[in-house]
Amino acid sequence: PRRPSEQLFRDMADLMASEGWKDVGYEYLCIDDCWMAPTRDERGRLQPDPERFPSGIRKLADYVHSKGLKLGIYSDVGNKTCAGFPGSYNHYELDAQTFASWGVDLLKFDGCNSGTLELLAEGYRNMSLALNKTGRSIVYSCEWPFYLRPVQQPNYTEIKQYCNHWRNFYDVYDSWSSIKSILDWTAIHQDSIVKIAGPGGWNDPDMASVVLVSLQLVIGNFGLSWDQAVTQMAMWAVMAAPLFMSNDLRDISPQAKWLLQNKEVIAINQDPLGKQGYRITKDKNFELWERPLSGGAHAVAVLNRQEIGGPRNFTFSLTFLGNGLACNPTCSVQQVLPTSRDWGFHSWVSSLSVEVNPTGTVLLKV
């Protein structure tokens, strides 16, 4: 990955403001690991690498704010970050105050080198309290359940008390197998994670530092086909995932830009009801997912997991949706992805037949 630098983030801020990203709702520009100097300053405070961030983080935050955007930063609950820079262990209050004084708006708090599970939990709780104490509104992005899971079942009720979103699973990579594994993991664990999601606290299918900024929509890189990119965008919307792009906005294709800036998909992702979607059926190579939306509507995703051959049809009865209530007595069906199309009105007892490309998804709003 490119090493983070002041200039890189200024360039991205300019593009987010001028290329329509901010207008559709992307507002956080997030710095990941490796922004720090290798040691704290003489007063014990974190400091940016002087070569790559010569003007300091406060100046960068001011610049980002001047564009109507917000700045995110990275630290770690342990004594070292994942890349070996100084962690926040024993410095939670000081680091929270430092970030607030710089004008930071989001903290991604990693879980490397945290010692025991007790220290991990204590660290996440302490940083949450420390951030609140600063009086500045700072989104708190945790990796708490991801580091707990190998050993114990996370208590999501507690995690939601302290965190705004939390990562459950491995880094997403620019590959179809990575996207598939995240969808599988989410479906297998949906009974324990779907119900906790809602305004103020979200399941984050991921935020890896793949290229530049921290969820990761890996759309706009090179590892996904067009159909797979459509699948990621559709499924992240159904899963109510925070949308962070992990790509270079200087050389993104018009096609990828169209997908990432698609207002209909973003409206589903950001639906005010804030309920997370779930898989309702799996039939051979097809998966049917739904997400309840405000106003009695539902987002419905039909995913074709077949990886060879051509487009295939999947037929399902509308009584399947919303516990039988989504179409009772009638409903309108809009196709959102891969293209926008009006499918007209349907009755409660009718069936829909959807043609889906291999590894692709058709996203509907019912």
Side-chain angles (χ1 to χ4, degrees):
R2 294 177 184 83
R3 295 177 61 142
S5 73
E6 200 172 288
Q7 196 49 54
L8 180 65
F9 284 94
R10 283 173 173 258
D11 290 350
M12 292 300 142
D14 293 345
L15 287 167
M16 280 177 75
S18 64
E19 294 285 314
W21 300 102
K22 186 184 94 170
D23 303 333
V24 295
Y26 292 96
E27 57 174 345
Y28 290 89
L29 185 58
C30 298
I31 307 172
D32 215 290
D33 203 349
C34 307
W35 63 269
M36 303 166 189
T39 55
R40 291 174 174 267
D41 72 10
E42 67 287 347
R43 287 167 56 190
R45 295 172 305 187
L46 290 174
Q47 48 185 352
D49 181 300
E51 273 173 41
R52 287 180 289 123
F53 293 90
S55 326
I57 303 295
R58 173 84 233 189
K59 271 269 172 44
L60 180 58
D62 290 345
Y63 186 79
V64 167
H65 294 153
S66 77
K67 299 281 172 182
L69 298 164
K70 295 176 176 173
L71 186 70
I73 208 159
Y74 169 101
S75 187
D76 190 285
V77 71
N79 53 10
K80 278 195 164 69
T81 71
C82 297
F85 291 89
S88 290
Y89 179 66
N90 269 341
H91 296 86
Y92 300 121
E93 288 215 355
L94 178 62
D95 290 357
Q97 285 158 7
T98 303
F99 298 145
S101 74
W102 288 345
V104 164
D105 306 289
L106 178 150
L107 171 64
K108 172 183 167 182
F109 209 42
D110 218 332
C112 285
N113 308 304
S114 57
T116 66
L117 289 186
E118 200 31 64
L119 285 172
L120 178 86
E122 209 176 288
Y124 274 109
R125 289 193 288 260
N126 284 339
M127 184 52 99
S128 179
L129 300 172
L131 290 171
N132 283 341
K133 215 165 147 183
T134 66
R136 184 171 179 81
S137 175
I138 298 174
V139 172
Y140 187 34
S141 165
C142 299
E143 312 233 337
W144 190 353
F146 172 66
Y147 286 91
L148 270 185
R149 254 198 191 278
V151 192
Q152 67 183 69
Q153 173 65 27
N155 175 354
Y156 285 104
T157 311
E158 182 189 25
I159 290 168
K160 187 171 180 170
Q161 262 181 295
Y162 292 100
C163 304
N164 297 118
H165 48 92
W166 48 85
R167 176 171 149 205
N168 291 309
F169 193 59
Y170 295 107
D171 286 1
V172 65
Y173 286 99
D174 189 11
S175 77
W176 176 235
S177 63
S178 170
I179 303 294
K180 279 191 304 193
S181 67
I182 288 171
L183 294 176
D184 288 342
W185 187 92
T186 304
I188 291 163
H189 294 90
Q190 62 186 19
D191 292 348
S192 66
I193 65 171
V194 164
K195 56 183 181 287
I196 197 68
W202 308 98
N203 289 296
D204 192 336
D206 174 50
M207 29 164 84
S209 28
V210 186
V211 187
L212 173 71
V213 260
S214 114
L215 120 111
Q216 302 311 69
L217 290 165
V218 290
I219 294 158
N221 298 322
F222 302 98
L224 299 181
S225 71
W226 176 246
D227 286 305
Q228 291 159 5
V230 166
T231 291
Q232 192 188 14
M233 192 68 182
M235 298 309 295
W236 261 236
V238 167
M239 292 189 294
L243 295 183
F244 290 85
M245 295 178 290
S246 185
N247 49 30
D248 190 334
L249 300 178
R250 291 170 298 197
D251 51 23
I252 192 165
S253 73
Q255 212 183 9
K257 184 177 172 186
W258 173 85
L259 182 58
L260 287 162
Q261 291 192 2
N262 187 304
K263 289 188 176 127
E264 293 174 78
V265 188
I266 291 171
I268 290 172
N269 174 266
Q270 299 284 316
D271 184 76
L273 189 62
K275 281 198 180 307
Q276 180 168 336
Y278 39 83
R279 190 169 74 188
I280 46 179
T281 178
K282 190 177 182 195
D283 182 9
K284 297 191 181 72
N285 281 311
F286 279 101
E287 295 184 16
L288 185 63
W289 293 60
E290 74 172 8
R291 176 180 176 185
L293 303 174
S294 46
H298 286 78
V300 177
V302 184
L303 165 63
N304 179 2
R305 293 285 296 255
Q306 181 89 18
E307 298 190 13
I308 50 171
R312 293 171 62 222
N313 275 307
F314 180 68
T315 304
F316 63 98
S317 162
L318 290 172
T319 50
F320 252 116
L321 306 177
N323 292 325
L325 301 174
C327 275
N328 191 357
T330 61
C331 59
S332 67
V333 180
Q334 289 288 133
Q335 179 181 303
V336 177
L337 287 176
T339 53
S340 186
R341 242 177 69 206
D342 186 0
W343 285 22
F345 278 90
H346 294 265
S347 83
W348 186 59
V349 290
S350 56
S351 287
L352 279 192
S353 190
V354 185
E355 187 181 77
V356 196
N357 291 344
T359 71
T361 297
V362 171
L363 180 64
L364 306 169
K365 187 176 174 187
V366 175

